[in-house]
Amino acid sequence: GVRLFSFAELCRPPLPPARTPQESLKALRVKPGFRAELVASEPLVQDPIFVDWGADGRMWVVEMADYPFHEHKGRTFPGRVKVLTDTDGDGIYDKATVFLDDLHYPTGLAVWKNGVFIASVPDVFFAEDTDGDGRADKRTHILRGFTEGNPQHLVNGFAWGLDGWLYGGNGDSGGRITEVRSGKTFDLSGRDFRFNPATGEFQLQAGKAQYGRWRDDFGNWFANNNSNLGWHYLLDDRYLARNPRLAVPTVRRDLNRGGNRLFPVSAPIRRLNQPDSVNMLTSGCSLIPYRDTLFGADYAGSVFICEPANNLVHREVLAADGITFNSHRAADEAGSEFLASEDNWSRFTQARTGPDGCLYVVDFYRLILEHPEWIPRQMLEHLDLRAGSDMGRIYRISPGGTPRRAVPRLAALDDAGLGQQLGSPTGWVRATAQRRLLDRGAKWS
């Protein structure tokens, strides 16, 4: 009656099992007054890390299925871009279309006209559907030369600027970037970047974001890296370019200095790297300002930061400080997080304001988050590095008791209708209406 364990079993680190989507939903601990809904899960989505929405209301999803290796032990694991549709209007996505597969470490996208710009190292390209079958059949390269480093440190994007340009993050790998339209080259080095979607023109920006460079309603840009909650870019490069001999020590300001303590609700498990970093920020990413009024006035200056290693989404409250900001925990979150999961597999990579003012939280859902580059070699042979690669979840967080806000179908509006939507309380609606007007070359004023 005594079970004998093999040597391999004895060496394997004790790790928790996966949960079903409904079990993971029940494992979420969301701030009182809010509710969480599961809007997409496997097999509809797998390995999601980034979402955006088109003017028709459909959700575009980046699936980084090739993490941690695009090629491993003779097999290739390509990434994908999918489009999710809610066919019956109940708020739950029930149809998925593969728009483009066979991608190399895709990290982000932005919808434009009849396609999307995609960051897929070493390139940024525009993929479009020219025959209306729902799949991309044409690629136009915009930028080339982003360095292929560790997949946690790759070029990423994109965020729509008030100026009608798309902004991207460095990812810490840099590169010698070629603007395909003109052949000009640029040393990305420690910078972020922007490009004009209509012309392909490329420009360097103050940087460098590890994963996610995002703005608020007023054009203030924010970013972070794994060990920093966030920073604000307080000075644009274009001002410094006027005097190249002026030495400026920094163009960014740390938001919450020394405020890296976290309050996860998942059971502590053995860390494969940095074992002394329990309950501390070690995988901060996707610092995104909340851009709507649905959550109430208390959330007007809030930013959400994903922390996949600790299975949570952290909220910071911004406070103006001269030309820049500092930040702090909300008073009613002094010892807790806005969203945290008891499921150790829940790896949140993005928490973004959606077309309805709700917060959409993207769950990569993997057992092993740490890249093998930083895992002790003696542990690697006992780990399933791709456990969870056939899974993925997307949640919607909304105020409890509040009915769902209708989303205008911007694809069907004329110029005057789009112009009226520039007064929407929803940041996504305003930005998408502006983009549509620019798409058309509209003269509406």
mmCIF file of all heavy atoms in Angstrom, residues 23-47:
data_model
loop_
_atom_site.group_PDB
_atom_site.id
_atom_site.type_symbol
_atom_site.label_atom_id
_atom_site.label_comp_id
_atom_site.label_asym_id
_atom_site.label_seq_id
_atom_site.Cartn_x
_atom_site.Cartn_y
_atom_site.Cartn_z
ATOM 1 N N GLU A 23 -13.507 27.542 -12.659
ATOM 2 C CA GLU A 23 -12.800 27.477 -11.372
ATOM 3 C C GLU A 23 -11.885 28.683 -11.199
ATOM 4 O O GLU A 23 -11.774 29.241 -10.094
ATOM 5 C CB GLU A 23 -11.991 26.185 -11.293
ATOM 6 C CG GLU A 23 -12.839 24.930 -11.124
ATOM 7 C CD GLU A 23 -12.032 23.657 -11.258
ATOM 8 O OE1 GLU A 23 -10.906 23.700 -11.812
ATOM 9 O OE2 GLU A 23 -12.535 22.596 -10.826
ATOM 10 N N SER A 24 -11.247 29.105 -12.285
ATOM 11 C CA SER A 24 -10.388 30.288 -12.210
ATOM 12 C C SER A 24 -11.198 31.549 -11.954
ATOM 13 O O SER A 24 -10.756 32.453 -11.231
ATOM 14 C CB SER A 24 -9.586 30.437 -13.510
ATOM 15 O OG SER A 24 -8.611 29.425 -13.616
ATOM 16 N N LEU A 25 -12.383 31.624 -12.550
ATOM 17 C CA LEU A 25 -13.264 32.777 -12.299
ATOM 18 C C LEU A 25 -13.623 32.844 -10.815
ATOM 19 O O LEU A 25 -13.592 33.926 -10.208
ATOM 20 C CB LEU A 25 -14.524 32.663 -13.154
ATOM 21 C CG LEU A 25 -15.598 33.738 -12.932
ATOM 22 C CD1 LEU A 25 -15.071 35.121 -13.298
ATOM 23 C CD2 LEU A 25 -16.852 33.412 -13.748
ATOM 24 N N LYS A 26 -13.952 31.701 -10.225
ATOM 25 C CA LYS A 26 -14.293 31.673 -8.795
ATOM 26 C C LYS A 26 -13.087 32.006 -7.918
ATOM 27 O O LYS A 26 -13.252 32.448 -6.769
ATOM 28 C CB LYS A 26 -14.837 30.299 -8.425
ATOM 29 C CG LYS A 26 -16.200 29.984 -9.038
ATOM 30 C CD LYS A 26 -16.666 28.577 -8.678
ATOM 31 C CE LYS A 26 -18.015 28.274 -9.319
ATOM 32 N NZ LYS A 26 -18.465 26.882 -9.037
ATOM 33 N N ALA A 27 -11.887 31.809 -8.452
ATOM 34 C CA ALA A 27 -10.670 32.087 -7.681
ATOM 35 C C ALA A 27 -10.294 33.565 -7.683
ATOM 36 O O ALA A 27 -9.394 33.972 -6.953
ATOM 37 C CB ALA A 27 -9.503 31.268 -8.237
ATOM 38 N N LEU A 28 -10.973 34.379 -8.502
ATOM 39 C CA LEU A 28 -10.685 35.811 -8.550
ATOM 40 C C LEU A 28 -11.210 36.507 -7.303
ATOM 41 O O LEU A 28 -12.347 36.264 -6.862
ATOM 42 C CB LEU A 28 -11.316 36.446 -9.785
ATOM 43 C CG LEU A 28 -10.721 36.120 -11.150
ATOM 44 C CD1 LEU A 28 -11.461 36.895 -12.237
ATOM 45 C CD2 LEU A 28 -9.231 36.449 -11.205
ATOM 46 N N ARG A 29 -10.408 37.401 -6.770
ATOM 47 C CA ARG A 29 -10.818 38.252 -5.657
ATOM 48 C C ARG A 29 -10.749 39.700 -6.149
ATOM 49 O O ARG A 29 -9.687 40.298 -6.218
ATOM 50 C CB ARG A 29 -9.903 38.043 -4.449
ATOM 51 C CG ARG A 29 -9.948 36.627 -3.908
ATOM 52 C CD ARG A 29 -11.300 36.275 -3.314
ATOM 53 N NE ARG A 29 -11.412 34.852 -2.960
ATOM 54 C CZ ARG A 29 -12.013 33.952 -3.719
ATOM 55 N NH1 ARG A 29 -12.547 34.304 -4.889
ATOM 56 N NH2 ARG A 29 -12.097 32.698 -3.344
ATOM 57 N N VAL A 30 -11.922 40.231 -6.509
ATOM 58 C CA VAL A 30 -11.994 41.580 -7.062
ATOM 59 C C VAL A 30 -12.465 42.519 -5.965
ATOM 60 O O VAL A 30 -13.142 42.114 -5.010
ATOM 61 C CB VAL A 30 -12.938 41.622 -8.284
ATOM 62 C CG1 VAL A 30 -14.368 41.334 -7.889
ATOM 63 C CG2 VAL A 30 -12.821 42.949 -9.025
ATOM 64 N N LYS A 31 -12.088 43.760 -6.058
ATOM 65 C CA LYS A 31 -12.405 44.759 -5.035
ATOM 66 C C LYS A 31 -13.912 44.812 -4.776
ATOM 67 O O LYS A 31 -14.705 44.749 -5.723
ATOM 68 C CB LYS A 31 -11.902 46.125 -5.490
ATOM 69 C CG LYS A 31 -12.099 47.234 -4.471
ATOM 70 C CD LYS A 31 -11.466 48.509 -4.959
ATOM 71 C CE LYS A 31 -11.680 49.625 -3.949
ATOM 72 N NZ LYS A 31 -10.994 50.867 -4.354
ATOM 73 N N PRO A 32 -14.333 44.920 -3.521
ATOM 74 C CA PRO A 32 -15.768 45.030 -3.224
ATOM 75 C C PRO A 32 -16.413 46.162 -4.013
ATOM 76 O O PRO A 32 -15.842 47.239 -4.171
ATOM 77 C CB PRO A 32 -15.783 45.332 -1.723
ATOM 78 C CG PRO A 32 -14.529 44.699 -1.199
ATOM 79 C CD PRO A 32 -13.516 44.875 -2.298
ATOM 80 N N GLY A 33 -17.606 45.878 -4.536
ATOM 81 C CA GLY A 33 -18.302 46.843 -5.371
ATOM 82 C C GLY A 33 -18.135 46.583 -6.854
ATOM 83 O O GLY A 33 -18.796 47.211 -7.679
ATOM 84 N N PHE A 34 -17.263 45.614 -7.196
ATOM 85 C CA PHE A 34 -17.029 45.254 -8.588
ATOM 86 C C PHE A 34 -17.320 43.773 -8.793
ATOM 87 O O PHE A 34 -17.302 42.987 -7.850
ATOM 88 C CB PHE A 34 -15.585 45.562 -8.994
ATOM 89 C CG PHE A 34 -15.275 47.033 -9.074
ATOM 90 C CD1 PHE A 34 -14.933 47.736 -7.935
ATOM 91 C CD2 PHE A 34 -15.349 47.709 -10.280
ATOM 92 C CE1 PHE A 34 -14.650 49.093 -7.997
ATOM 93 C CE2 PHE A 34 -15.078 49.064 -10.352
ATOM 94 C CZ PHE A 34 -14.730 49.755 -9.202
ATOM 95 N N ARG A 35 -17.567 43.407 -10.043
ATOM 96 C CA ARG A 35 -17.794 42.004 -10.372
ATOM 97 C C ARG A 35 -16.903 41.606 -11.549
ATOM 98 O O ARG A 35 -16.533 42.441 -12.366
ATOM 99 C CB ARG A 35 -19.256 41.753 -10.719
ATOM 100 C CG ARG A 35 -19.738 42.369 -12.020
ATOM 101 C CD ARG A 35 -21.188 41.975 -12.321
ATOM 102 N NE ARG A 35 -21.643 42.492 -13.598
ATOM 103 C CZ ARG A 35 -22.248 43.658 -13.770
ATOM 104 N NH1 ARG A 35 -22.465 44.444 -12.721
ATOM 105 N NH2 ARG A 35 -22.645 44.060 -14.969
ATOM 106 N N ALA A 36 -16.577 40.342 -11.616
ATOM 107 C CA ALA A 36 -15.752 39.804 -12.703
ATOM 108 C C ALA A 36 -16.587 38.827 -13.515
ATOM 109 O O ALA A 36 -17.336 38.022 -12.966
ATOM 110 C CB ALA A 36 -14.526 39.102 -12.139
ATOM 111 N N GLU A 37 -16.458 38.921 -14.839
ATOM 112 C CA GLU A 37 -17.127 37.999 -15.752
ATOM 113 C C GLU A 37 -16.086 37.404 -16.695
ATOM 114 O O GLU A 37 -15.155 38.092 -17.117
ATOM 115 C CB GLU A 37 -18.190 38.722 -16.574
ATOM 116 C CG GLU A 37 -19.303 39.356 -15.771
ATOM 117 C CD GLU A 37 -20.168 40.248 -16.638
ATOM 118 O OE1 GLU A 37 -19.809 41.438 -16.801
ATOM 119 O OE2 GLU A 37 -21.190 39.766 -17.158
ATOM 120 N N LEU A 38 -16.281 36.156 -17.040
ATOM 121 C CA LEU A 38 -15.421 35.486 -18.012
ATOM 122 C C LEU A 38 -16.008 35.716 -19.400
ATOM 123 O O LEU A 38 -17.109 35.258 -19.693
ATOM 124 C CB LEU A 38 -15.356 33.994 -17.691
ATOM 125 C CG LEU A 38 -14.436 33.129 -18.553
ATOM 126 C CD1 LEU A 38 -12.980 33.465 -18.283
ATOM 127 C CD2 LEU A 38 -14.703 31.653 -18.260
ATOM 128 N N VAL A 39 -15.293 36.458 -20.258
ATOM 129 C CA VAL A 39 -15.837 36.778 -21.584
ATOM 130 C C VAL A 39 -15.218 35.942 -22.694
ATOM 131 O O VAL A 39 -15.756 35.899 -23.807
ATOM 132 C CB VAL A 39 -15.697 38.282 -21.909
ATOM 133 C CG1 VAL A 39 -16.493 39.116 -20.927
ATOM 134 C CG2 VAL A 39 -14.241 38.716 -21.931
ATOM 135 N N ALA A 40 -14.110 35.256 -22.418
ATOM 136 C CA ALA A 40 -13.504 34.364 -23.412
ATOM 137 C C ALA A 40 -12.558 33.415 -22.694
ATOM 138 O O ALA A 40 -11.917 33.780 -21.710
ATOM 139 C CB ALA A 40 -12.754 35.140 -24.486
ATOM 140 N N SER A 41 -12.475 32.180 -23.198
ATOM 141 C CA SER A 41 -11.552 31.197 -22.634
ATOM 142 C C SER A 41 -11.271 30.140 -23.692
ATOM 143 O O SER A 41 -11.851 30.150 -24.780
ATOM 144 C CB SER A 41 -12.144 30.562 -21.367
ATOM 145 O OG SER A 41 -13.358 29.895 -21.646
ATOM 146 N N GLU A 42 -10.358 29.216 -23.344
ATOM 147 C CA GLU A 42 -10.037 28.147 -24.277
ATOM 148 C C GLU A 42 -11.264 27.282 -24.541
ATOM 149 O O GLU A 42 -12.107 27.158 -23.645
ATOM 150 C CB GLU A 42 -8.882 27.292 -23.735
ATOM 151 C CG GLU A 42 -9.201 26.418 -22.546
ATOM 152 C CD GLU A 42 -9.011 27.098 -21.190
ATOM 153 O OE1 GLU A 42 -8.722 28.305 -21.146
ATOM 154 O OE2 GLU A 42 -9.148 26.416 -20.173
ATOM 155 N N PRO A 43 -11.456 26.736 -25.720
ATOM 156 C CA PRO A 43 -10.513 26.749 -26.856
ATOM 157 C C PRO A 43 -10.621 27.983 -27.751
ATOM 158 O O PRO A 43 -9.912 28.069 -28.750
ATOM 159 C CB PRO A 43 -10.918 25.487 -27.626
ATOM 160 C CG PRO A 43 -12.401 25.410 -27.415
ATOM 161 C CD PRO A 43 -12.632 25.873 -25.992
ATOM 162 N N LEU A 44 -11.493 28.940 -27.387
ATOM 163 C CA LEU A 44 -11.649 30.128 -28.215
ATOM 164 C C LEU A 44 -10.353 30.929 -28.267
ATOM 165 O O LEU A 44 -9.963 31.425 -29.324
ATOM 166 C CB LEU A 44 -12.790 30.999 -27.662
ATOM 167 C CG LEU A 44 -13.589 31.826 -28.658
ATOM 168 C CD1 LEU A 44 -14.354 30.929 -29.615
ATOM 169 C CD2 LEU A 44 -14.555 32.763 -27.921
ATOM 170 N N VAL A 45 -9.694 31.070 -27.121
ATOM 171 C CA VAL A 45 -8.410 31.773 -27.055
ATOM 172 C C VAL A 45 -7.404 30.907 -26.327
ATOM 173 O O VAL A 45 -7.753 30.134 -25.436
ATOM 174 C CB VAL A 45 -8.526 33.141 -26.348
ATOM 175 C CG1 VAL A 45 -9.336 34.124 -27.160
ATOM 176 C CG2 VAL A 45 -9.099 32.999 -24.939
ATOM 177 N N GLN A 46 -6.140 31.047 -26.721
ATOM 178 C CA GLN A 46 -5.026 30.390 -26.051
ATOM 179 C C GLN A 46 -3.847 31.345 -26.029
ATOM 180 O O GLN A 46 -3.606 32.049 -27.017
ATOM 181 C CB GLN A 46 -4.626 29.103 -26.775
ATOM 182 C CG GLN A 46 -5.717 28.053 -26.791
ATOM 183 C CD GLN A 46 -6.013 27.528 -28.183
ATOM 184 O OE1 GLN A 46 -5.603 28.117 -29.170
ATOM 185 N NE2 GLN A 46 -6.766 26.451 -28.258
ATOM 186 N N ASP A 47 -3.168 31.417 -24.917
ATOM 187 C CA ASP A 47 -1.957 32.247 -24.780
ATOM 188 C C ASP A 47 -2.198 33.724 -25.088
ATOM 189 O O ASP A 47 -1.362 34.374 -25.707
ATOM 190 C CB ASP A 47 -0.843 31.724 -25.693
ATOM 191 C CG ASP A 47 -0.620 30.237 -25.562
ATOM 192 O OD1 ASP A 47 -0.315 29.797 -24.437
ATOM 193 O OD2 ASP A 47 -0.747 29.510 -26.565
#
